[in-house]
């Protein structure tokens, strides 16, 4: 299935309105000896649902890694977008508003322009979901597991062959120099977004240490007119890995 509503970075010319606050950390190839991100770990706290007056979406909240040349590897918390393969916990006894879904959106002309979309995990407001995306042995592997709250224990995972979805590079290292977190709101009622979304325990691991600490240390809370992105608690977990204690995305 090729979905026009796939959660893409806002670098394409889209036929519909997308509102979002986007926080990125880009390892510059030239000044970092071609360093790339190879692993992302983060926990997302399931927010309240969109206001009852909102009937058009979908709305996505996510962090992901983007290979050079396009496409994205992204665990996504989503509302208003069905998953083709259904949900691991379809009988979950709470309102089915938010689902965690693992997306691999290919670069143009890769994998027949078709995203890999995992089974979804329904999660309730206040639940915490731990997510990973990592590159190794030519594959991107993602997982999502609810670690607290009403859906605790529910999980999903997916793995793809990287060069089937994304441009490869000479080092065959996943080629992902772009880390990004976004609110990505589609539809005609994006101005009704009225709740914060909290991410915690964010770890971003690079292949090598070159340029990593300086890049992550430069991150500052900001607004781009479409919302606020406030990150706190930066430290180096190890020489290759940045840690942020939290990130809050809030409406403008
Ligand atoms: C994939 O998408 C691109 C960009 O929209 C388009 O130019 C191309 O023809 C598509 N390729 C296939 C195989 O559908
Ligand atoms: C690629 O997409 C086209 C158009 O949707 C479809 O007809 C074709 O069967 C697909 N090919 C593969 C290999 O999936
Ligand atoms: C985010 O930071 C801005 C200043 O950049 C501040 O005005 C705002 O209150 C902060 N929001 C949160 C939720 O911390």
């Amino acid at each position: 299935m090729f979905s026009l509503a796939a959660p893409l970075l806002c670098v394409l010319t889209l036929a519909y309105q997308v509102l979002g606050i986007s926080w990125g950390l880009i390892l510059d190839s030239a000044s970092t000896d071609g360093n790339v991100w190879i692993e992302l770990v983060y926990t997302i706290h399931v927010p309240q649902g969109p206001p009852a007056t909102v009937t058009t979406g979908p709305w996505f909240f996510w962090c992901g890694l983007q290979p050079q040349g396009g496409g994205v590897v992204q665990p996504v918390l989503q509302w208003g977008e069905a998953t083709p393969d259904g949900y691991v916990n379809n009988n979950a006894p709470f309102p089915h508003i938010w689902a965690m879904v693992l997306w691999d959106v290919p670069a143009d002309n890769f994998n027949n322009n078709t995203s890999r979309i995992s089974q979804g995990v329904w999660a309730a407001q206040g639940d915490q979901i731990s997510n990973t995306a990592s590159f190794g042995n030519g594959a991107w592997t993602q997982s999502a597991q609810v670690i607290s709250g009403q859906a605790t224990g529910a999980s999903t995972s997916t793995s793809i062959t990287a060069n089937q979805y994304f441009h490869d590079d000479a080092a065959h290292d996943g080629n992902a120099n772009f880390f990004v977190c976004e609110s990505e709101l589609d539809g005609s009622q994006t101005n009704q977004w009225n709740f914060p979304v909290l991410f915690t325990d964010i770890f971003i691991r690079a292949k090598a240490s070159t340029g990593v600490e300086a890049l992550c240390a430069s991150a500052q809370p900001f607004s781009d007119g479409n919302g606020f992105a406030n990150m706190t608690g930066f430290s180096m977990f190890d020489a290759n890995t940045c840690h942020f204690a939290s990130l809050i995305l809030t409406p403008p």
Side-chain angles (χ1 to χ4, degrees), residues 134-148:
S134 60
F135 177 82
N137 297 319
W140 283 102
T141 301
Q142 299 185 70
S143 69
Q145 178 169 22
V146 184
I147 56 172
S148 77

Side-chain angles (χ1 to χ4, degrees), residues 17 21 35 54 57 67 78-79 82 98 127 146 154 167 197 200 202 232 244 249:
Q17 189 76 23
I21 171 78
N35 201 6
V54 174
Q78 62 187 47
W79 167 82
W98 294 105
D127 285 10
V146 184
H167 293 270
V197 180
T200 54
I202 302 168
T232 65
F244 292 89
L249 301 180

Side-chain angles (χ1 to χ4, degrees), residues 156-182:
T156 190
S157 64
T158 192
S159 187
I160 56 139
T161 300
N163 64 13
Q164 187 180 328
Y165 282 72
F166 310 115
H167 293 270
D168 206 355
D169 62 2
H172 308 298
D173 56 11
N175 201 11
N177 70 335
F178 190 179
F179 157 80
V180 63
C181 294
E182 288 198 358

Side-chain angles (χ1 to χ4, degrees), residues 177-223:
N177 70 335
F178 190 179
F179 157 80
V180 63
C181 294
E182 288 198 358
S183 63
E184 186 184 323
L185 310 183
D186 305 293
S188 56
Q189 294 165 297
T190 57
N191 62 352
Q192 294 189 38
W193 175 30
N194 65 352
F195 51 87
V197 180
L198 174 64
F199 302 69
T200 54
D201 300 306
I202 302 168
F203 296 86
I204 323 158
R205 183 189 307 278
K207 180 177 69 166
S209 62
T210 317
V212 171
E213 181 167 3
L215 176 63
C216 291
S218 72
Q220 294 293 332
F222 71 99
S223 170

